[in-house]
Amino acid sequence: MYIAQAYKGLHDWWRYLIGTLIIIFAVIIGQIPFTIAAVLKAMQEGESIMGMDEQKLMTVLEPNLNLFLMLLSFAAGLLGVILVAKFLHKQSLRALTTARSKIDWKRFWFAFLLWGVVSSGFVFLDYFSSPENYVLNFKLVPFLILCVIAILLIPLQTSFEEYLFRGYFMQGIGVLTNSKWIPLLTTSVVFGLMHIANPEVSQLGYTVMIYYIGTGLFLGIITLMDEGLELALGFHAANNLFTALLVTADWTALQTHSVFKDISSPTAAGFIDIFMPVFVVFPLLLFVFSKVYKWTNWKDKLLGTVEKQKNEDYKTLE
């Protein structure tokens, strides 16, 4: 079982507490370059970043520089997760990633390409059906720089979130509670709440939290059903990467030199924006994944207990 991989390392409750604090510290360290750059830029323009909301803060720097510096904190966080697992828990990256004997990169690329095509299709469908809501934002040189930054760093950002929530927290809460549904629900809700400060929430209302929590639940389900992070890593990377490259808006967290810019007025999101992905698209993706990878025993994998396997590879602390 994927959650039981935590037994291959040291899994005392206090290790997860200390590990979480170390990871938070790593993220804070990674935010220092962005903070310094934003302060210097604001000083040049005679402004102060104190009291700025996140939407205003994201427009202080040039979009490519802003994206690069913003993503550095996630890269630092990912390094923090890996180091905590290795040195504090004595757990391998493979055990944190999957229950298989090795990481299955074919699964990653399948999810990445599938969701990349589908999500891009949704963007172009909306563009051609409502062209008045978009303007062409494409500029060759800034876009090429964006491509380099996005391709190199966005997978690190999404991997940090997956290794933290569906990996470190999922396994930690699972072995501490001997449960699967508790870490599934807990990590999904916390993952959603982590996005509450995003500009989208202030523009679209708290209803958008249904999308964030629903996305976390979807990623948690595919992690538990597939006994590994590979599908979640691929999906999340494709979701953020293709969005950053294709479309931006003044009220979104990712301000980029994308191909298109959404100029429509943000309103309370409705069925298409929130409910269709969570209640239609994600269930269809679960169906596709379940058929491709022959998932069975859904009840036990999602709601069952976590049992320590009697294996010499598992470290006990008695």
Side-chain angles (χ1 to χ4, degrees):
M1 296 185 297
Y2 173 67
I3 290 179
Q5 297 300 300
Y7 287 122
K8 293 184 176 180
L10 304 176
H11 50 277
D12 311 73
W13 66 268
W14 58 266
R15 294 181 187 272
Y16 286 99
L17 177 59
I18 294 176
T20 300
L21 294 177
I22 293 174
I23 293 167
I24 293 173
F25 180 72
V27 172
I28 293 174
I29 294 298
Q31 289 176 337
I32 291 176
F34 174 84
T35 303
I36 293 175
V39 169
L40 292 177
K41 182 65 175 179
M43 290 176 60
Q44 288 179 353
E45 298 180 356
E47 299 182 11
S48 172
I49 66 170
M50 299 300 295
M52 281 188 184
D53 57 25
E54 187 170 353
Q55 183 177 350
K56 175 64 176 177
L57 189 60
M58 291 300 174
T59 61
V60 172
L61 301 175
E62 189 275 332
N64 279 334
L65 177 61
N66 177 83
L67 182 65
F68 173 75
L69 295 176
M70 182 180 68
L71 293 177
L72 283 182
S73 64
F74 295 96
L78 177 60
L79 180 61
V81 173
I82 295 173
L83 293 178
V84 163
K86 179 177 178 61
F87 294 105
L88 184 60
H89 295 274
K90 307 300 181 181
Q91 184 185 30
S92 68
L93 181 61
R94 195 274 306 165
L96 187 63
T97 307
T98 184
R100 285 170 275 276
S101 59
K102 62 180 181 179
I103 299 174
D104 188 349
W105 290 107
K106 290 183 180 179
R107 277 174 154 82
F108 170 89
W109 287 113
F110 176 76
F112 179 87
L113 294 174
L114 174 63
W115 187 240
V117 171
V118 172
S119 61
S120 298
F122 284 142
V123 171
F124 285 108
L125 178 63
D126 192 51
Y127 172 74
F128 287 114
S129 62
S130 304
E132 69 278 3
N133 291 335
Y134 295 88
V135 294
L136 188 63
N137 192 51
F138 179 78
K139 297 178 182 178
L140 181 59
V141 174
F143 179 76
L144 292 178
I145 297 173
L146 167 64
C147 286
V148 174
I149 296 172
I151 291 172
L152 291 178
L153 293 183
I154 284 182
L156 298 182
Q157 176 241 327
T158 55
S159 295
F160 164 64
E161 294 184 1
E162 291 310 306
Y163 274 107
L164 180 63
F165 289 99
R166 260 66 63 178
Y168 189 68
F169 287 161
M170 182 83 80
Q171 289 186 350
I173 297 173
V175 297
L176 294 176
T177 62
N178 293 320
S179 167
K180 296 178 183 176
W181 68 268
I182 292 178
L184 174 60
L185 293 182
T186 302
T187 57
S188 300
V189 172
V190 174
F191 176 77
L193 293 177
M194 289 293 290
H195 294 80
I196 201 168
N198 281 16
E200 293 92 334
V201 177
S202 61
Q203 294 292 335
L204 301 176
Y206 288 105
T207 307
V208 77
M209 296 304 297
I210 295 174
Y211 171 77
Y212 290 126
I213 295 175
T215 301
L217 185 62
F218 165 73
L219 292 168
I221 290 173
I222 63 177
T223 297
L224 291 181
M225 289 304 303
D226 201 51
E227 302 289 7
L229 285 177
E230 293 96 335
L231 294 178
L233 287 168
F235 173 91
H236 203 161
N239 186 73
N240 288 27
L241 178 60
F242 285 91
T243 299
L245 294 178
L246 287 179
V247 63
T248 189
D250 290 335
W251 44 269
T252 61
L254 287 178
Q255 301 287 312
T256 67
H257 288 291
S258 56
V259 176
F260 301 112
K261 184 174 184 178
D262 185 346
I263 59 172
S264 62
S265 299
T267 56
F271 177 80
I272 293 179
D273 302 298
I274 294 176
F275 295 99
M276 192 179 78
V278 174
F279 297 106
V280 178
V281 178
F282 291 168
L284 287 175
L285 286 174
L286 286 175
F287 176 78
V288 172
F289 289 144
S290 69
K291 292 303 179 181
V292 172
Y293 297 110
K294 299 179 174 58
W295 292 346
T296 57
N297 201 14
W298 288 67
K299 182 178 180 180
D300 180 66
K301 286 189 174 183
L302 299 180
L303 305 176
T305 58
V306 178
E307 298 180 1
K308 177 185 264 188
Q309 300 178 13
K310 295 181 179 180
N311 187 304
E312 62 180 2
D313 290 334
Y314 285 69
K315 296 181 176 67
T316 59
L317 303 178
E318 290 81 359

